[in-house]
Amino acid sequence: MGTGENDQRDPTNGEALARPADPHASWTRKEWDRMWHPSMWLREPPRQHSMHIWHIVAILALTGYANVIANQVLNPWWHIPFNLGILGVALAIARNAGVTVPALGFCRDRIRRGLAVGGVVMGVIGLGILIGVAIPATREFFYDDRVIERSTWVVLFDALIRIPIATAFYEETLFRGVLFGMLVRRWAPLWAAVASNLLFGLWHILPTLNTLETNPAGGMLDGFTGIALAAIGSVLGTAVAGFGFLWLRLRANSTVAPVLAHIATNSFALLAALFVVRVLG
């Protein structure tokens, strides 16, 4: 165990933790394992990095452009290669800024924990959706025009391939990996979480506006006021969901966990809609 000015006291048990050998790292592996705990949320990064603000600006500009293109221009069939390409550039920028693998949430020795935590959440979400389908009062919300107007095979492709890769993996790696991993090098985990999840909420404005006409809930909103309320509700709702996804990422110390939870949230709902429309009629 190291000594001297590079040691950091563990606030929970008083042990001295050697600062990581990597000069780019702000937090030790043990600190990442505990970051889900409230005692860590307001703790400032032991080694604060201030040199990569332009890397963050570059990633925000890149992904903001990609969000517009994916939602307003690109055919959904091209979402997988396009989003993976954008994500590859974002990861390259983050790594160039010195963001470590633990900060991105992709340590090999935490994958099993990520699968376990994410798997439990997938089961809970799946059960909730099954209950929603079984209750007539909530079943009507599964009558989605995106299912009614498309073939079964296209819906299955979306639910089983496009959403897991081009939505869940893409967004969780970007927001819970890249952006949170960069922001937490500058700020305490709580403020990094607030910033990254607010961005996650803003990210969903365009997708929400695009689905107002096809989602049954969109029929309850009309005019400028309705659209504005839908946009605000989308930002707030997805930001709150982002906090849940981030807590899973920190609890497991693996981005695998929120990826699985995100897949369950989106894909299970689409598969349920397919069952309601095609089987229950």
Side-chain angles (χ1 to χ4, degrees):
M1 186 171 296
T3 59
E5 64 180 5
N6 286 334
D7 284 349
Q8 181 70 33
R9 289 286 169 182
D10 183 336
T12 60
N13 59 22
E15 293 181 0
L17 300 176
R19 298 306 326 144
D22 187 344
H24 295 295
S26 291
W27 306 90
T28 66
R29 181 72 66 88
K30 286 186 177 181
E31 287 166 339
W32 273 106
D33 279 337
R34 291 193 315 272
M35 200 174 287
W36 64 275
H37 196 275
S39 65
M40 296 289 292
W41 294 351
L42 290 175
R43 185 176 174 188
E44 294 295 327
R47 180 185 288 115
Q48 192 174 54
H49 292 266
S50 60
M51 80 293 284
H52 63 278
I53 184 65
W54 293 111
H55 292 87
I56 296 176
V57 171
I59 289 174
L60 292 179
L62 172 71
T63 54
Y65 161 81
N67 191 28
V68 173
I69 296 300
N71 285 284
Q72 301 296 107
V73 178
L74 208 61
N75 186 297
W77 290 101
W78 290 99
H79 282 180
I80 292 177
F82 178 76
N83 288 359
L84 290 181
I86 293 295
L87 182 60
V89 176
L91 285 167
I93 294 173
R95 293 292 284 163
N96 180 261
V99 177
T100 61
V101 172
L104 294 172
F106 284 110
C107 292
R108 291 183 181 179
D109 58 355
R110 297 298 187 271
I111 291 177
R112 182 177 296 180
R113 186 189 300 182
L115 291 172
V117 173
V120 170
V121 176
M122 287 187 90
V124 172
I125 292 173
L127 179 61
I129 289 175
L130 285 175
I131 294 172
V133 171
I135 299 174
T138 54
R139 186 182 303 155
E140 64 183 35
F141 290 104
F142 290 93
Y143 286 96
D144 194 325
D145 286 347
R146 292 173 298 172
V147 173
I148 296 172
E149 296 175 355
R150 295 187 297 173
S151 72
T152 298
W153 293 112
V154 170
V155 175
L156 287 174
F157 173 80
D158 274 354
L160 302 178
I161 299 177
R162 188 179 68 84
I163 287 175
I165 298 174
T167 299
F169 176 74
Y170 173 51
E171 292 183 358
E172 293 307 314
T173 302
L174 179 60
F175 288 95
R176 258 60 71 181
V178 172
L179 287 175
F180 179 78
M182 296 187 77
L183 293 171
V184 83
R185 288 154 52 90
R186 297 174 59 88
W187 301 330
L190 178 61
W191 308 127
V194 170
S196 61
N197 289 323
L198 179 59
L199 291 170
F200 185 60
L202 294 172
W203 174 270
H204 282 82
I205 290 179
L206 282 180
T208 297
L209 297 181
N210 287 342
T211 59
L212 281 180
E213 296 181 357
T214 60
N215 193 296
M220 297 183 290
L221 301 169
D222 191 23
F224 175 80
T225 301
I227 293 175
L229 289 175
I232 294 171
S234 171
V235 171
L236 295 178
T238 50
V240 170
F243 278 102
F245 289 140
L246 180 60
W247 188 87
L248 293 174
R249 178 257 184 274
L250 296 178
R251 185 65 182 88
N253 196 4
S254 173
T255 305
V256 172
V259 168
L260 294 180
H262 202 146
I263 290 172
T265 302
N266 291 21
S267 293
F268 286 6
L270 191 57
L271 291 172
L274 181 64
F275 177 77
V276 168
V277 171
R278 296 285 192 268
V279 178
L280 300 183

